[in-house]
Amino acid sequence: MAELIPRTTYLETLWRNKDMDTIKVVSGVRRSGKSTLLKMFVDRLHEEGVGDDRIHVYNFEDPNFDALRDATELYRTIQSQLVPDEQNYIILDEIQWVEHFEKAVDGLFILPNTDIYITGSNAYFMSGELATYLTGRYFEIKIYPLSFREFMSSHEELTLEQGFERYMFGTLPYFTKYDNQADALSYLVGVYNTILLKDVVQRLEIRDVDTLQRIMKVLVSSVGSIV
């Protein structure tokens, strides 16, 4: 397993808001590191002595949790597993796949012993929609691809000039693990297609995918220009 790149700024923000009376929302583009950030958060909970029985992690891109994509069923399942009279940490990864997820999240939020963390991609978690779903009781952390400092923290063998050249080629966390440029590009194309076809086309029910792809090529070739 590849070594995780520290996302210290985001992790410290999460930790400062731990046990605060808000729903912590981690949003960002696919593959920007949302799930990895929460794994780091769970590791830190363990270091602080929080047992597995008080940490409830659900990833809704995992088929094992397909049965819990119903909000009522999800709420009942988690509620039945909570440790009474102790703080429970509930982590719901890619929550947008749960229909009417806000009902389950709101229900868990009002319980006296829960601290809730949810993630979702930007295509589903635009700020206006979050405000509608969670009625103002949330704290949003927008996670971006790697900063240059984060990138260099895992490439200490490179000079600043070498690192910057590699960094400009791509900044998604896992993308930077590739040494072969062709393999790296193949990975990046896969992420692009997933975002375009799964998030944008599927969600907005776009029928003319050909035209959308042509528009995207024009936009990508004009990065930095006024559109």
Side-chain angles (χ1 to χ4, degrees), residues 7 13 28 74 81 84 100 105 118 145 166 206 221:
R7 310 302 303 270
T13 301
L74 175 62
Q81 296 173 354
H100 304 303
V105 172
I118 66 177
R166 282 278 301 276
I206 293 173
S221 67

Side-chain angles (χ1 to χ4, degrees), residues 85-113:
D85 302 320
E86 297 279 357
Q87 185 74 305
N88 290 260
Y89 298 91
I90 301 171
I91 296 171
L92 307 173
D93 201 1
E94 300 296 347
I95 190 66
Q96 74 270 4
W97 297 115
V98 177
E99 189 172 6
H100 304 303
F101 70 84
E102 66 277 9
K103 295 180 180 178
V105 172
D106 282 344
L108 293 167
F109 176 71
I110 64 175
L111 296 176
N113 57 337

Side-chain angles (χ1 to χ4, degrees), residues 27-94:
S27 64
V29 70
R30 281 181 180 273
R31 310 306 300 170
S32 59
K34 300 184 297 294
S35 300
T36 301
L37 175 65
L38 289 178
K39 286 178 184 175
M40 294 176 177
F41 180 74
V42 168
D43 288 343
R44 187 158 176 181
L45 286 174
H46 285 146
E47 290 171 4
E48 295 294 323
V50 180
D52 283 331
D53 59 336
R54 293 167 51 203
I55 303 173
H56 312 269
V57 181
Y58 298 81
N59 182 344
F60 295 101
E61 290 192 323
D62 183 341
N64 289 316
F65 295 118
D66 280 356
L68 297 179
R69 288 190 176 188
D70 173 78
T72 302
E73 187 62 32
L74 175 62
Y75 172 80
R76 289 174 177 169
T77 298
I78 295 177
Q79 185 190 36
S80 70
Q81 296 173 354
L82 297 178
V83 177
D85 302 320
E86 297 279 357
Q87 185 74 305
N88 290 260
Y89 298 91
I90 301 171
I91 296 171
L92 307 173
D93 201 1
E94 300 296 347

Side-chain angles (χ1 to χ4, degrees), residues 7-20 22 24-26 37-38 41 44 115 117 139-143 150:
R7 310 302 303 270
T8 307
T9 300
Y10 298 116
L11 184 58
E12 289 305 319
T13 301
L14 267 184
W15 198 256
R16 282 199 309 272
N17 285 275
K18 182 176 71 74
D19 299 326
M20 298 289 285
T22 57
K24 271 63 75 174
V25 178
V26 180
L37 175 65
L38 289 178
F41 180 74
R44 187 158 176 181
D115 191 23
Y117 302 78
F139 177 86
E140 184 179 10
I141 300 171
K142 294 182 179 180
I143 187 168
E150 289 171 329

Side-chain angles (χ1 to χ4, degrees), residues 1-5 36 40 173-174 176-178:
M1 185 178 187
E3 183 182 350
L4 299 181
I5 297 174
T36 301
M40 294 176 177
Y174 198 78
T176 64
K177 302 294 183 183
Y178 287 97

